[in-house]
Amino acid sequence: MKAAALCVTLLMLNSFTLKSDAAFLRITPDRLQHFQFDSVSFDCGSNKVRVTRENKESDPQCDNQTPTGSSCTIERVYLTDSGEYWCESGGRDRSNGVNVTVTAGSVILESPVLPVAEGETVTLHCRNKSTSTNRSADFYKDGLLLQESSPAAEITISNVSKSDEGLYKCNMSGAGESAESWLAVRARTVSVTPPPPPQEPPSEDSNAPRSLIVLWMTITIVMLALVLVVVGLLFIRKHRVCDEDTADDRDGVTYAVVVPKPRETKESELSSIKTSSPTETPSPTETPSPTETSSPTAAKDSSSPEQELLYAPVLKATKSKDS
């Protein structure tokens, strides 16, 4: 059976370092091994599908292909279609290669095309072409028996790790043995977000500054209110005093003291001298009349019809509140 099956098995020794599955080649059906005459499609998204066969790079011989060569469908694959397929961009950058095996035998191993992420679960199936019901099968990794006589002809690997990478094959009793295929495992990309720091319950020390702030704000508001009240009272008192002064001005009495200043002239002096002369004595028989014997002040007043008046400052008498 091994001699009849012409299988090309290339070991993928390079590590898969690409960040997403979009950089890898996608194959339909999703397996690395195919029976001869099966229909297989290759898809590279926006890049071009390329293949290496017999150490020669070329474009695959497609029955249906897009103008850009990003998708290729082979309606009937042959043994010569076995090889390493990959995606190539215009800048000659290429993805990791995928080893595709086309066999003329009746047993193949169904393993995933894309690398399996660490921590995931993968199941490998041993498929028989001639019958729809699978028989029990044995599974091998790197030539060593991994599981014997699996009744469902499959093996499940949980929590995949890098140590699970290797060459796998199966042997179905009474049907034959499959070719080997490489199971690739890639590291899982996990975005680690640091957890937020734990929030400690507020303590008395943390509440102390807040209490002080509230206290100072309260004191400040109270002081401002007191200042405004005092200013308002002073303002009201000032206006009340002004109103009282205005009322007193209306009720007050003004007195003027006039001091007359006699105006002395030469004629008044001569008349005063004549009146007071000692040589002129009245006779005993004559009694002077009141008009003739007027006082010097009267003579002075009669002789000086014009007098100059001097006004003193005005004195203001206000009524006391008690009166």
Side-chain angles (χ1 to χ4, degrees):
M1 183 66 64
K2 291 183 180 180
L6 299 177
C7 302
V8 178
T9 306
L10 300 176
L11 300 181
M12 301 167 59
L13 300 178
N14 297 329
S15 61
F16 293 87
T17 58
L18 299 180
K19 296 183 179 180
S20 64
D21 293 342
F24 289 93
L25 175 69
R26 298 178 184 274
I27 301 176
T28 305
D30 184 17
R31 59 177 184 253
L32 295 176
Q33 297 182 15
H34 300 273
F35 293 111
Q36 189 173 220
F37 309 129
D38 284 348
S39 175
V40 181
S41 296
F42 304 90
D43 186 11
C44 280
S46 60
N47 297 327
K48 187 177 182 180
V49 180
R50 296 280 290 172
V51 62
T52 299
R53 291 176 297 188
E54 298 180 356
N55 296 328
K56 294 181 180 180
E57 294 184 7
S58 62
D59 294 333
Q61 298 177 357
C62 308
D63 297 317
N64 296 316
Q65 186 177 16
T66 58
T68 58
S70 60
S71 178
C72 171
T73 301
I74 303 175
E75 297 295 341
R76 296 169 64 91
V77 294
Y78 294 93
L79 301 179
T80 54
D81 291 320
S82 299
E84 182 184 11
Y85 289 78
W86 76 90
C87 299
E88 182 178 278
S89 66
R92 303 292 296 175
D93 294 332
R94 54 180 293 175
S95 67
N96 294 79
V98 176
N99 293 318
V100 175
T101 301
V102 179
T103 179
S106 58
V107 177
I108 61 173
L109 176 68
E110 295 182 342
S111 59
V113 175
L114 299 179
V116 182
E118 287 183 329
E120 292 183 353
T121 299
V122 62
T123 300
L124 306 179
H125 298 272
C126 193
R127 182 179 177 185
N128 186 4
K129 181 181 181 181
S130 58
T131 61
S132 58
T133 58
N134 292 326
R135 305 175 184 177
S136 61
D138 301 332
F139 290 88
Y140 298 85
K141 177 193 174 188
D142 299 329
L144 301 177
L145 179 63
L146 187 64
Q147 181 175 336
E148 184 178 4
S149 299
S150 172
E154 65 180 24
I155 182 174
T156 300
I157 305 174
S158 302
N159 195 15
V160 175
S161 63
K162 270 292 186 180
S163 61
D164 294 319
E165 277 190 338
L167 287 171
Y168 288 82
K169 69 178 180 179
C170 66
N171 187 357
M172 185 172 289
S173 60
E177 188 178 66
S178 70
E180 290 183 326
S181 292
W182 179 267
L183 177 64
V185 178
R186 62 181 173 86
R188 173 178 290 180
T189 304
V190 180
S191 58
V192 179
T193 303
Q199 296 181 355
E200 299 180 356
S203 60
E204 296 180 358
D205 296 337
S206 61
N207 292 331
R210 296 182 180 178
S211 302
L212 291 176
I213 293 174
V214 173
L215 179 61
W216 279 111
M217 291 179 64
T218 305
I219 293 174
T220 303
I221 293 173
V222 172
M223 293 298 294
L224 288 175
L226 290 177
V227 170
L228 292 176
V229 170
V230 172
V231 171
L233 292 176
L234 292 176
F235 184 77
I236 294 172
R237 183 177 179 182
K238 181 178 179 181
H239 278 271
R240 184 177 296 175
V241 170
C242 292
D243 293 340
E244 291 178 358
D245 292 341
T246 304
D248 292 341
D249 290 341
R250 290 195 299 266
D251 297 336
V253 179
T254 304
Y255 298 91
V257 178
V258 180
V259 179
K261 182 178 180 182
R263 185 176 182 181
E264 295 180 357
T265 59
K266 291 182 180 182
E267 294 177 359
S268 62
E269 292 177 358
L270 291 176
S271 61
S272 62
I273 292 173
K274 290 179 182 182
T275 306
S276 62
S277 175
T279 57
E280 296 182 0
T281 56
S283 62
T285 61
E286 295 181 359
T287 303
S289 62
T291 57
E292 292 178 357
T293 60
S294 61
S295 64
T297 306
K300 187 182 292 186
D301 295 337
S302 61
S303 63
S304 55
E306 295 181 1
Q307 292 181 354
E308 182 181 357
L309 300 181
L310 179 62
Y311 294 90
V314 176
L315 300 179
K316 177 182 177 183
T318 59
K319 294 180 181 181
S320 63
K321 294 182 181 180
D322 297 336
S323 62

